[in-house]
Amino acid sequence: MEAKNRIEWIDLCKIITMLIVCYDHTIQSIAPEEALKNSFFVGSISFHMPLFMLLSGYFINLEKIRTNKISFFCFLKFKHLMIPAFSWYLILCCLFREIPGVKAALESYWFLSCLFFSFCILAFITKVTTNNLMVFIAACIITYFTPYCYFVKINFLMPFLAMGYWLNKQSKYLNWKFILPILLIYIILYQHWTFEDSVYITPIRFHNFSSIIPISYIAIFRFVIAVTGSLSIIYGCILLTKYFKDNIIIKKLIHYGKYTLCIYTIHFVFIKFLKSIFDKHLWSNEYPLVLFSILISALIVILTLSIASLLRHNYYTRKFLLGEF
């Protein structure tokens, strides 16, 4: 039943994006200074997490959210997203002898925290208005200007949740006549994109009234480049599933696209381990960093899938570590 309801291009898009995320985290852990000189690393940051948020928004059903109690809906999302996030954070603390903290837990798996809080905000707003467009407009405005919404980057990613919802309703735009100019816009914007433009360096945080315009300018630039990059990747995945559906590699990638949540949560154990090694032993430029990072990130993905497969056999580990309630 699950296989019938899945959308193949979305699963393909999820696993490809997850592979990019693993590669970025790997190269950043091995040689952070060298990573900033890597054009693929810097470029992929412009769209990879917004793309995940956009894909999450694609499946939002506001009517269903509206009919549920807020507490019930938020609890469902908490079980699926935050329980595995907190569980793996505690495992990380035990493995690397760190003192756990709530703030650190939310920030360690910041994307899952962001997604959870974004869903909660939408649940509250759906009780105020029955206009679905106004739900997302209100959510974006509220999170953009409310103090501390930069925490776990809610004010940055909420618009992409809205874009995903819009894309589901307007899938007719997923054609080459629309995507080709979108891709060209991304290529042009990419020429001006730097790591300093990323939300990691310049969060959407207003210190005073005069800071609204310059920060908003960067936020708009970030939004446009992320949307154009994400839509380009999405259309590429649509083409791959259309013309290479029977290709063994594509079929495998589509299959593993179902498990991106467990890859995301588990891979941080290996990333933290890598970082602890290369903090003591600096990377030597004698070796090909990109090739090494690709091989290591691929190995990490294989290991995370193997671990997840083992954890799935136990009732409690399946729920608490994989979020499969």
Side-chain angles (χ1 to χ4, degrees):
M1 180 65 70
E2 180 187 9
K4 292 180 181 178
N5 294 330
R6 300 198 72 89
I7 301 173
E8 290 185 336
W9 66 260
I10 287 185
D11 282 334
L12 180 61
C13 196
K14 284 167 61 180
I15 190 63
I16 288 175
T17 310
M18 193 68 248
L19 290 170
I20 293 172
V21 169
C22 284
Y23 166 80
D24 285 350
H25 288 168
T26 299
I27 193 171
Q28 198 174 21
S29 299
I30 295 171
E33 295 298 325
E34 292 298 317
L36 295 177
K37 302 173 186 176
N38 182 268
S39 57
F40 182 80
F41 167 79
V42 174
S44 62
I45 284 175
S46 69
F47 66 81
H48 62 35
M49 299 319 289
L51 177 50
F52 267 126
M53 201 68 168
L54 195 151
L55 294 174
S56 299
Y58 190 89
F59 293 102
I60 289 178
N61 186 334
L62 290 181
E63 285 72 24
K64 188 175 180 180
I65 295 174
R66 197 173 277 115
T67 57
N68 287 326
K69 288 184 177 180
I70 294 174
S71 57
F72 175 76
F73 175 77
C74 293
F75 183 61
L76 286 179
K77 293 301 177 183
F78 183 84
K79 288 195 300 182
H80 180 58
L81 298 171
M82 298 312 298
I83 286 181
F86 286 141
S87 299
W88 282 105
Y89 169 71
L90 291 175
I91 290 172
L92 284 172
C93 288
C94 293
L95 290 175
F96 296 94
R97 300 179 182 180
E98 296 177 353
I99 299 173
V102 176
K103 186 173 183 293
L106 292 172
E107 290 179 337
S108 293
Y109 289 92
W110 68 266
F111 178 78
L112 297 183
S113 302
C114 176
L115 189 56
F116 168 70
F117 287 124
S118 296
F119 278 130
C120 291
I121 291 168
L122 289 178
F124 276 97
I125 299 176
T126 55
K127 302 301 182 183
V128 178
T129 176
T130 57
N131 186 314
N132 292 341
L133 177 62
M134 286 305 301
V135 169
F136 282 105
I137 291 175
C140 292
I141 293 175
I142 290 170
T143 54
Y144 190 75
F145 290 105
T146 302
Y148 302 108
C149 268
Y150 65 87
F151 178 63
V152 295
K153 305 166 184 64
I154 300 172
N155 53 10
F156 167 55
L157 288 179
M158 180 64 83
F160 299 103
L161 206 61
M163 277 297 302
Y165 179 82
W166 172 85
L167 190 64
N168 189 330
K169 306 298 180 184
Q170 303 293 334
S171 57
K172 61 184 179 182
Y173 289 107
L174 289 173
N175 59 73
W176 70 268
K177 293 179 182 179
F178 179 72
I179 298 298
L180 183 58
I182 288 290
L183 176 60
L184 293 175
I185 292 172
Y186 177 78
I187 292 171
I188 293 169
L189 293 178
Y190 176 76
Q191 309 306 313
H192 304 280
W193 172 260
T194 66
F195 186 70
E196 285 68 29
D197 294 318
S198 69
V199 73
Y200 308 105
I201 305 299
T202 51
I204 303 172
R205 180 170 52 193
F206 306 115
H207 300 287
N208 48 55
F209 186 77
S210 62
S211 65
I212 292 179
I213 292 178
I215 291 177
S216 296
Y217 173 79
I218 297 175
I220 292 170
F221 174 58
R222 260 199 304 255
F223 176 75
V224 175
I225 193 172
V227 167
T228 53
S230 296
L231 290 177
S232 300
I233 296 293
I234 285 173
Y235 188 64
C237 291
I238 290 174
L239 292 179
L240 285 172
T241 53
K242 183 178 180 180
Y243 295 108
F244 300 96
K245 185 178 180 179
D246 296 326
N247 182 278
I248 185 65
I249 296 175
I250 299 298
K251 288 173 71 174
K252 284 288 185 182
L253 289 174
I254 290 172
H255 171 72
Y256 291 124
K258 297 182 288 186
Y259 307 117
T260 49
L261 176 61
C262 64
I263 296 173
Y264 179 74
T265 51
I266 300 172
H267 93 284
F268 279 108
V269 175
F270 298 100
I271 294 300
K272 203 168 180 67
F273 178 70
L274 272 179
K275 191 173 185 305
S276 66
I277 293 175
F278 286 97
D279 276 348
K280 299 175 183 177
H281 307 283
L282 295 178
W283 177 259
S284 172
N285 289 329
E286 297 176 7
Y287 305 101
L289 176 61
V290 173
L291 179 60
F292 183 75
S293 299
I294 290 172
L295 293 174
I296 293 297
S297 58
L299 178 61
I300 287 174
V301 171
I302 293 169
L303 289 173
T304 56
L305 288 169
S306 301
I307 292 170
S309 180
L310 292 173
L311 295 174
R312 205 165 277 114
H313 291 295
N314 181 272
Y315 176 83
Y316 295 103
T317 55
R318 185 173 71 248
K319 290 183 178 298
F320 286 94
L321 297 180
L322 302 180
E324 296 178 1
F325 285 88

